[in-house]
Amino acid sequence: MQALHTINDIRSALKQARRAVEQTKLTSTVGMIPTMGYLHEGHMSLIRRAKSECDLVVVSIFVNPLQFGPTEDFDKYPRDAERDLRLAEEAGADFVFMPSVQEMYPAPIKTKVIVTSITDVLCGASRPGHFDGVATVVTKLFHIVQPDQAYFGMKDAQQVAVIEQFTADLNSPVRIVRCETLREPDGLAMSSRNVYLNEEQRKQAVVLIETLRRIDDWVAEPGMTIEKLTQHIRGNIESAPLARIDYAEIRTYPGLEPVASMEEWHANQPILVALAVKFGGTRLIDNRIFG
Amino acid sequence: MQALHTINDIRSALKQARRAVEQTKLTSTVGMIPTMGYLHEGHMSLIRRAKSECDLVVVSIFVNPLQFGPTEDFDKYPRDAERDLRLAEEAGADFVFMPSVQEMYPAPIKTKVIVTSITDVLCGASRPGHFDGVATVVTKLFHIVQPDQAYFGMKDAQQVAVIEQFTADLNSPVRIVRCETLREPDGLAMSSRNVYLNEEQRKQAVVLIETLRRIDDWVAEPGMTIEKLTQHIRGNIESAPLARIDYAEIRTYPGLEPVASMEEWHANQPILVALAVKFGGTRLIDNRIFG
C-alpha cells in the first residue's frame, strides 16, 4: 500500500497501477472510499467491499474544513494518521490519499457545488452550508482520483442522497455504492465521533438503534398515524435522560419529502426514519430505511 | 464522423475509439469543443486546432436553456443541425454530440456549479445566473465526454475565466485551452448572434474592434488616466449612432478586479478591456487583453 500526499502523486501512481492491471485485463476498475479518517470497522467494511469488487482501491483521508460550520468540531475532529494507514492496509487498500488543506485549497475557493431542496432538511437544516461543502469536496476528490465506483455508508443517509443527486445531475461517471451501516455489538452505529462520548453517554446512546428497532411494532399498531409514530419515536429517545433531540423525522428516500399519512408510508416506500440526537456536545445520527 | 444523440452512445463510441487509438500508441488524447451550434469559422478554427493536438475530437452542440435568462433569446437562438454537421466534419471533428434538452435534463436539476465574485461583473452583472448555467452544463459535458483538453474562444473572455476558475477549484482533469478570437475581414468578432444584425447594424458593429484597436494610441497619450481612457472608449463606441453600451470596462485578467490607475494598468497586466454593446435587440461582445 502507498500513502500519497499530493494530487500529482496520486494521479501518477493510479495511472501506472491502472496500466499494470491493463496488461492482463482489458480494463481496470478503481474503487474509492472518501473518508475524514479516524477509521473504524465501518470504513474497513467499505474498503473490504471495494477490494472484492475492484482491481484497485483508494481511500482518501481528508478532514474537509468546508463542511464544518464555524461553531463545529473541525479543530477537535479526531485524527490519527498512523493508525489509519495501518487499518486501511489491513482492510486491503492499495492507495491512501491524504492531502493537506493547502494541497486541496491552495487559494480561496470561488466555486461551490450546491444541491438544493434535499439539503434544506434534516442535517442540512441545523448545519447550513454543510452539504455544499460535502458536494464540493467529493466533486474535487472524484476529479482527482477518477474512480469507477465510490462507497458510502448509509449511516449518513442524507449525505448518500445528496451525493447520488449531484452525481446524477452532473452526469458524473462515478457509480455510487450504498453500504449498510456497521454497528457496535450493542447496536450503536459506528462513527468517528463516538470517541467523544463519556461512559454514561455511550451507554445511553444505544437508545437510537433501540428506537429504530421498535418502529415495526408501532407501525403494526391499529390506528397508527405519522403523528403518533413520531411521538413514539421522540418519547422513546427522551427516555434516555441525557438525550437531546435535534430531529426525528419520517421522509421519503432519497427524495426526502415529508410523509403525511400511514397510507403514504405504505405507498411511497422506501421511507427513511432519521434521527439526530445530542449527548452533551456530541451529535449522533442514525436512521433506518423501510421498504 | 459520427453524430451521437445520447450520453450512452457518445460514451461507448469514445471508449471504443480510445481503445483503437491505444492499439498503436500508449495513450489517447481527446479534445473537446463545447458549442451551442450554428457553427462559424471561429468554431472551425477551434476544431482544427484540437485536431492538430489530439487523437480524437468531439464537438458538442447543445443550446443550454440553463444559461439563458427568461427574457433572453433561447427560443430564437439560431439552429441548423445539418449545416453544423457538415462544417464540423469539414474541420476534422470525429464525433458530434448533440443531445436533446430531455437527454441533458431528464428531471428538474437540483444541482448547480456556482462561481462567485468573478461572475458578478461584466456579462454576469446583466445576465444573472448565466454563468451558473455555463459552469453547470460544462461540468456535465466534461463528465460525459471526459476529454483531456477543451478549447474555448477568447471572444468570451469572462466565460474562459469562469471555466478556468471552476476547473481549477474543482481539480477537473480537463486542461482548458484559450484560443484567439476569429474575426470577419472588417474585424467584427465572429459570433452566431451576428446573423441577427441588419445591414446598417452590421456596418456599425465594426466600431467594437475599431475602439479596441485605438487603445494603444490612447494609452500612449501623456497624462492618460483610467477614467479618461474609459471616456475615450465609450465616446468612440457612441460615435456609432445605433450602438447602446451595456458595459465598457477595464479589469485584470483572469481575476476581473477593477483597475484604478495607469500605474496599475502597467503593473498588473494582463489587463482586459471588455465591451458589450447592443445594436437593436442584439448584444455583441468583444474584448482585448493587454500584456
Side-chain angles (χ1 to χ4, degrees):
Chain A
M1 191 189 74
Q2 283 181 63
L4 301 147
H5 300 266
T6 71
I7 293 165
N8 277 342
D9 285 353
I10 182 72
R11 278 188 173 147
S12 63
L14 272 167
K15 201 171 177 176
Q16 215 181 328
R18 274 197 187 261
R19 208 167 278 163
V21 170
E22 287 162 15
Q23 302 274 305
T24 52
K25 301 175 56 178
L26 197 55
T27 54
S28 60
T29 56
V30 172
M32 178 173 196
I33 300 97
T35 83
M36 297 211 299
Y38 214 73
L39 303 186
H40 51 63
E41 199 48 46
H43 299 108
M44 291 176 77
S45 76
L46 303 182
I47 300 171
R48 284 190 204 100
R49 173 149 178 207
K51 190 64 186 176
S52 76
E53 296 177 356
C54 306
D55 299 307
L56 300 165
V57 174
V58 182
V59 175
S60 65
I61 296 181
F62 181 59
V63 186
N64 173 36
L66 223 60
Q67 72 193 67
F68 287 80
T71 64
E72 291 181 359
D73 56 348
F74 174 69
D75 285 324
K76 73 159 195 162
Y77 194 86
R79 294 161 168 90
D80 188 340
E82 212 174 302
R83 187 171 154 273
D84 284 348
L85 288 173
R86 206 175 55 240
L87 294 179
E89 179 151 35
E90 219 176 286
D94 298 292
F95 300 97
V96 174
F97 175 53
M98 37 198 330
S100 65
V101 171
Q102 173 66 20
E103 179 74 7
M104 289 296 279
Y105 302 109
I109 189 163
K110 290 181 178 166
T111 307
K112 265 188 217 172
V113 178
I114 63 167
V115 178
T116 54
S117 100
I118 62 169
T119 57
D120 298 337
V121 299
L122 303 179
C123 288
S126 54
R127 304 186 70 186
H130 169 67
F131 287 115
D132 295 351
V134 170
T136 304
V137 81
V138 172
T139 301
K140 286 169 68 73
L141 290 168
F142 283 0
H143 281 159
I144 292 166
V145 171
Q146 295 178 256
D148 299 281
Q149 31 213 52
Y151 296 78
F152 293 90
M154 281 300 283
K155 186 190 62 110
D156 302 292
Q158 186 176 15
Q159 174 173 282
V160 172
V162 168
I163 290 168
E164 287 180 350
Q165 183 73 47
F166 80 74
T167 52
D169 281 345
L170 298 180
N171 306 100
S172 169
V174 182
R175 192 168 78 82
I176 306 305
V177 183
R178 298 181 186 179
C179 302
E180 221 177 302
T181 302
L182 242 79
R183 298 182 180 280
E184 302 290 349
D186 68 356
L188 179 68
M190 289 197 186
S191 164
S192 304
R193 288 190 172 98
N194 290 351
V195 296
Y196 296 154
L197 299 170
N198 66 29
E199 205 182 334
E200 188 51 36
Q201 291 166 341
R202 172 65 190 79
K203 214 181 286 177
Q204 293 189 21
V206 78
V207 76
L208 274 80
I209 184 61
E210 282 174 2
T211 304
L212 293 169
R213 283 177 179 153
R214 292 189 61 180
I215 290 173
D216 306 279
D217 290 341
W218 294 326
V219 167
E221 283 177 19
M224 185 50 55
T225 64
I226 292 291
E227 202 176 29
K228 270 197 233 171
L229 182 56
T230 308
Q231 281 164 8
H232 278 309
I233 291 168
R234 299 185 69 98
N236 205 71
I237 295 168
E238 283 162 351
S239 72
L242 297 175
R244 281 178 297 124
I245 296 175
D246 179 358
Y247 63 75
E249 292 195 36
I250 298 167
R251 293 187 172 266
T252 61
Y253 193 81
L256 305 185
E257 303 284 347
V259 177
S261 67
M262 291 313 290
E263 287 67 46
E264 266 191 59
W265 170 290
H266 292 291
N268 286 342
Q269 295 201 340
I271 296 281
L272 171 76
V273 177
L275 311 177
V277 178
K278 278 194 158 185
F279 291 86
T282 306
R283 188 172 169 282
L284 301 180
I285 60 175
D286 202 350
N287 69 79
R288 213 179 130 191
I289 290 179
F290 293 81
Chain B
M1 191 188 75
Q2 282 181 64
L4 302 148
H5 300 265
T6 71
I7 293 165
N8 277 342
D9 285 352
I10 181 74
R11 278 189 171 147
S12 64
L14 271 167
K15 200 171 179 179
Q16 212 180 332
R18 273 196 186 260
R19 208 167 277 166
V21 170
E22 287 163 15
Q23 302 274 305
T24 53
K25 301 173 57 177
L26 197 55
T27 55
S28 59
T29 56
V30 171
M32 177 174 195
I33 299 96
T35 81
M36 297 210 301
Y38 214 72
L39 302 186
H40 51 64
E41 198 50 46
H43 299 107
M44 292 176 75
S45 76
L46 303 182
I47 300 171
R48 283 190 203 101
R49 173 147 176 208
K51 191 64 185 176
S52 76
E53 296 177 355
C54 305
D55 299 308
L56 300 165
V57 174
V58 181
V59 175
S60 66
I61 296 180
F62 181 60
V63 185
N64 173 36
L66 224 59
Q67 71 193 69
F68 287 80
T71 64
E72 292 181 0
D73 56 349
F74 174 70
D75 285 326
K76 74 161 196 163
Y77 194 86
R79 292 161 169 92
D80 189 340
E82 212 175 304
R83 186 170 155 275
D84 284 348
L85 288 173
R86 205 174 58 241
L87 294 179
E89 178 150 37
E90 217 176 287
D94 298 292
F95 301 97
V96 174
F97 175 52
M98 36 200 330
S100 65
V101 170
Q102 173 67 19
E103 179 74 7
M104 289 295 280
Y105 302 110
I109 189 163
K110 290 181 178 166
T111 307
K112 266 189 216 173
V113 178
I114 63 166
V115 179
T116 54
S117 99
I118 62 169
T119 56
D120 298 337
V121 299
L122 304 178
C123 288
S126 54
R127 305 187 69 186
H130 169 67
F131 286 115
D132 296 350
V134 170
T136 304
V137 81
V138 172
T139 300
K140 286 169 69 74
L141 290 167
F142 283 1
H143 281 159
I144 293 165
V145 171
Q146 296 178 255
D148 299 281
Q149 30 214 52
Y151 296 78
F152 292 90
M154 282 299 285
K155 184 187 67 105
D156 301 293
Q158 186 176 16
Q159 174 173 281
V160 171
V162 168
I163 290 168
E164 287 180 349
Q165 182 74 46
F166 80 74
T167 52
D169 281 346
L170 298 180
N171 306 100
S172 168
V174 183
R175 193 167 78 81
I176 305 305
V177 183
R178 298 181 186 179
C179 302
E180 222 178 301
T181 303
L182 242 78
R183 298 182 179 282
E184 302 289 350
D186 68 356
L188 179 68
M190 289 196 186
S191 165
S192 304
R193 288 191 172 98
N194 290 350
V195 296
Y196 295 155
L197 300 169
N198 67 29
E199 203 182 335
E200 188 50 36
Q201 291 166 339
R202 172 65 190 80
K203 215 182 285 177
Q204 293 189 21
V206 78
V207 76
L208 275 79
I209 184 61
E210 283 174 2
T211 303
L212 293 169
R213 283 176 179 154
R214 290 189 61 183
I215 290 172
D216 306 279
D217 291 342
W218 294 326
V219 167
E221 282 177 20
M224 184 51 54
T225 64
I226 292 291
E227 203 177 29
K228 270 197 233 171
L229 182 55
T230 307
Q231 280 164 9
H232 278 311
I233 292 168
R234 298 186 69 98
N236 204 71
I237 296 168
E238 283 162 351
S239 72
L242 297 176
R244 281 177 297 126
I245 296 175
D246 179 358
Y247 63 75
E249 292 195 36
I250 298 167
R251 292 188 172 266
T252 60
Y253 193 82
L256 305 185
E257 302 285 346
V259 177
S261 66
M262 289 314 290
E263 287 68 45
E264 265 190 59
W265 171 290
H266 291 291
N268 286 342
Q269 295 202 338
I271 295 282
L272 171 75
V273 177
L275 311 177
V277 178
K278 279 194 157 184
F279 291 86
T282 306
R283 187 172 168 283
L284 301 180
I285 60 174
D286 203 350
N287 70 80
R288 212 178 132 191
I289 289 179
F290 293 82

